[in-house]
Amino acid sequence: MIKVNTIPLKSLEKIRVATPFSELAEIRLRAGRPCVSVNIFGEMKPCSEKISAEEIAECFAEICRYSVYSFESEIAEGFITLDGGHRVGICGTAVIKNGKIASIKDISGLNIRIAHQKSGCADELYGRVFSREIHSLLLGGKPLSGKTTMLRDLARILGERHRVVLIDTRGELSASVRGTPSFDIGLNTDALCGVEKSDGIFLSLRSLSPEIIICDEIGNDGEAIEQAMFCGVKLVASAHADSVEQLKKRPATREILPFFERVAILGERGKITEYLENR
């Protein structure tokens, strides 16, 4: 059994995880129940005794650095990113103001998604899409399929040869700490953190002269994507879908799909299950 000592939270010290950290995908904390670890294969195992609501509250306070107010915008989005790129999803009671989620109270559960750097995992995808010339790429996959890890490694590889901007809205891709990436994202890659994807694309086009822009979980950003394409900049992005057919049916991706020259779908452990030369 190993302690979860690579995540910067003292409140997790009682948790013992049998899964090697390199294969650990999530740690789920729920009040009144044992913590559960989830590995990269989706297998779940209890990894603690029952934890109380008070222990959940202490962990949440530590995640917010004992200043919940300063994390209000992140809490309203449902997650907080820790140093190291680990993302903590928040479960509780939504506080609604003006028809939108303003905060979450009565925190009853936390889901810690573990960030990993796996150098070389994108070698096959790079060979297919970028070895001869660069193309725009939409990368689909279900949760835990490895989309973020794959994008991180593509940034590293592409950033050795091209001018790359990584739009890291949640601080998860680069694991930036006060603006400095913790992961190797490439020699010529700039990380633009804390900005929404559309705003980041426009900012990059105006001031950073990228050849390639990389961002996670693209959606209703058609205008910015179109502008990037018309400027000759290639976009590499991910979206939730387990098939090309789903990308075509989802309203959030159906309209932007024609802008991407290549489409790849990831299955379990980052395996490419579908590949399409869109144009």
Side-chain angles (χ1 to χ4, degrees):
M1 305 288 279
I2 60 168
K3 289 182 64 174
V4 185
N5 55 6
T6 55
I7 303 171
L9 294 172
K10 291 182 179 179
S11 49
L12 297 183
E13 288 183 349
K14 67 182 292 183
I15 297 175
R16 300 292 186 273
V17 179
T19 303
F21 191 78
S22 62
E23 295 183 0
L24 185 61
E26 295 180 338
I27 300 172
R28 294 176 174 267
L29 293 75
R30 301 179 178 97
R33 287 169 280 179
C35 299
V36 172
S37 65
V38 184
N39 68 17
I40 57 176
F41 308 103
E43 298 168 340
M44 297 180 287
K45 294 181 180 179
C47 56
S48 77
E49 301 296 325
K50 287 183 181 180
I51 57 173
S52 65
E54 291 75 19
E55 288 173 307
I56 290 281
E58 170 61 24
C59 186
F60 179 66
E62 187 181 1
I63 288 167
C64 297
R65 300 173 190 170
Y66 300 96
S67 178
V68 174
Y69 176 80
S70 63
F71 284 86
E72 277 191 340
S73 61
E74 290 92 338
I75 294 168
E77 294 292 331
F79 64 87
I80 294 172
T81 303
L82 300 173
D83 290 353
H86 312 297
R87 186 172 69 175
V88 183
I90 305 164
C91 187
T93 303
V95 178
I96 307 297
K97 291 183 180 179
N98 300 320
K100 296 182 179 181
I101 297 176
S103 186
I104 299 176
K105 65 178 183 179
D106 304 327
I107 308 301
S108 60
L110 300 168
N111 180 30
I112 303 172
R113 295 187 61 178
I114 310 302
H116 294 288
Q117 176 142 38
K118 296 185 178 180
S119 296
C121 70
D123 286 350
E124 180 187 354
L125 188 59
Y126 173 82
R128 289 198 188 193
V129 183
F130 305 103
S131 60
R132 295 185 179 181
E133 60 179 307
I134 57 175
H135 296 281
S136 55
L137 169 69
L138 183 60
L139 184 64
K142 296 186 292 186
L144 297 183
S145 60
K147 297 187 299 298
T148 300
T149 305
M150 190 72 72
L151 288 181
R152 186 181 295 127
D153 201 40
L154 280 176
R156 179 188 65 83
I157 299 170
L158 291 167
E160 296 300 320
R161 302 164 175 83
H162 303 281
R163 300 186 306 277
V164 178
V165 174
L166 190 65
I167 300 175
D168 198 359
T169 304
R170 300 184 297 266
E172 187 179 17
L173 280 165
S174 63
S176 290
V177 179
R178 289 171 288 280
T180 301
S182 300
F183 289 134
D184 178 4
I185 58 172
L187 180 64
N188 300 300
T189 300
D190 295 305
L192 190 56
C193 300
V195 64
E196 292 301 323
K197 284 172 276 291
S198 290
D199 293 336
I201 290 171
F202 285 124
L203 193 157
S204 300
L205 295 174
R206 286 197 300 267
S207 60
L208 296 174
S209 304
E211 295 175 87
I212 304 166
I213 295 174
I214 298 177
C215 56
D216 209 354
E217 295 183 15
I218 203 78
N220 299 314
D221 305 287
E223 182 182 353
I225 294 170
E226 186 175 16
Q227 187 66 34
M229 301 304 182
F230 286 160
C231 291
V233 175
K234 303 299 183 180
L235 184 69
V236 177
S238 69
H240 287 300
D242 65 359
S243 68
V244 173
E245 192 62 28
Q246 277 195 4
L247 289 172
K248 293 178 179 178
K249 290 180 178 179
R250 284 188 60 209
T253 54
R254 183 173 57 230
E255 294 184 0
I256 64 174
L257 190 59
F259 292 117
F260 291 89
E261 299 162 320
R262 301 290 186 268
V263 180
I265 303 296
L266 298 182
E268 292 184 359
R269 301 191 69 185
K271 182 180 178 180
I272 301 172
T273 57
E274 287 187 73
Y275 182 72
L276 172 66
E277 294 190 2
N278 207 23
R279 56 185 166 116

